[in-house]
Amino acid sequence: MIINDELFQLEDQCNQLVQTILTSHLMEQYLKNKKEMDRSIKVAQLKNEFISSRQVFEKIEPYGKYVPEFREKQRAVRQAKRQLDLNEEVAAFRISENELQKILDSIGKQLAHTISTEIKISAGSPFFEKSEGCGGNCHGHRK
């Protein structure tokens, strides 16, 4: 790699983009929701219940149907996870997290496709367009 003024300009522009994201309303909301979730006693209790039930289930999981209370333990994990997911603070945090991720995915997509539509984009979100993750050439479809 040749280090020149163009590289420094790109680095400066990247830093500007990062600062814009860090000072955005979306980031502000994300941090606010994360702080509220982290401070919530109820969320801490729900997390502990989920972790506890998951640990109990993980101990018996390898034995599957041979453990008499396998289904009950499995159901307990799912119920604890659902209670955690339905908590107001957790839900608000996850929504803001997904919104921020959409923006980051969109930026990555725009950068890559400015260069070439054949560039593969690895998006961390399961909601990201599937066809974008394979250079526009998924399942025989071509852009």
Side-chain angles (χ1 to χ4, degrees), residues 102-115:
K102 283 181 200 175
I103 295 297
L104 296 173
D105 290 346
S106 176
I107 291 168
K109 176 183 169 185
Q110 288 174 352
L111 286 171
H113 285 190
T114 298
I115 297 165

Side-chain angles (χ1 to χ4, degrees), residues 34-49:
K34 181 171 179 13
K35 192 177 198 178
E36 288 175 5
M37 181 183 72
D38 289 344
R39 285 185 175 170
S40 171
I41 294 170
K42 181 66 175 170
V43 170
Q45 290 171 340
L46 291 170
K47 278 184 182 179
N48 288 336
E49 289 171 15

Side-chain angles (χ1 to χ4, degrees):
M1 174 189 285
I2 298 174
I3 298 177
N4 57 24
D5 285 339
E6 284 181 3
L7 183 63
F8 291 124
Q9 287 175 346
L10 286 172
E11 185 179 22
D12 288 343
Q13 289 172 353
C14 181
N15 287 333
Q16 287 174 342
L17 178 60
V18 168
Q19 285 307 310
T20 300
I21 292 169
L22 289 174
T23 59
S24 71
H25 174 70
L26 277 175
M27 187 65 172
E28 200 175 290
Q29 192 65 43
Y30 168 81
L31 292 173
K32 177 183 170 266
N33 290 339
K34 181 171 179 13
K35 192 177 198 178
E36 288 175 5
M37 181 183 72
D38 289 344
R39 285 185 175 170
S40 171
I41 294 170
K42 181 66 175 170
V43 170
Q45 290 171 340
L46 291 170
K47 278 184 182 179
N48 288 336
E49 289 171 15
F50 169 67
I51 290 168
S52 176
S53 63
R54 186 182 64 196
Q55 288 172 339
V56 168
F57 178 69
E58 285 173 348
K59 287 179 184 176
I60 65 166
E61 187 177 23
Y63 307 104
K65 63 183 180 183
Y66 299 107
V67 177
E69 60 276 343
F70 179 81
R71 292 280 180 226
E72 291 80 15
K73 302 280 188 215
Q74 186 180 47
R75 192 170 291 122
V77 172
R78 288 182 181 154
Q79 288 173 342
K81 177 73 167 120
R82 182 164 171 73
Q83 289 301 312
L84 181 61
D85 289 343
L86 291 177
N87 177 274
E88 229 174 85
E89 286 92 358
V90 173
F93 170 73
R94 293 235 171 99
I95 289 169
S96 62
E97 183 180 46
N98 286 338
E99 291 301 314
L100 189 57
Q101 185 65 52
K102 283 181 200 175
I103 295 297
L104 296 173
D105 290 346
S106 176
I107 291 168
K109 176 183 169 185
Q110 288 174 352
L111 286 171
H113 285 190
T114 298
I115 297 165
S116 169
T117 58
E118 297 301 314
I119 292 177
K120 295 178 181 173
I121 301 166
S122 176
S125 171
F127 304 108
F128 197 75
E129 297 175 36
K130 299 266 189 249
S131 64
E132 300 304 329
C134 52
N137 196 11
C138 291
H139 310 294
H141 299 296
R142 192 146 175 80
K143 286 190 169 186

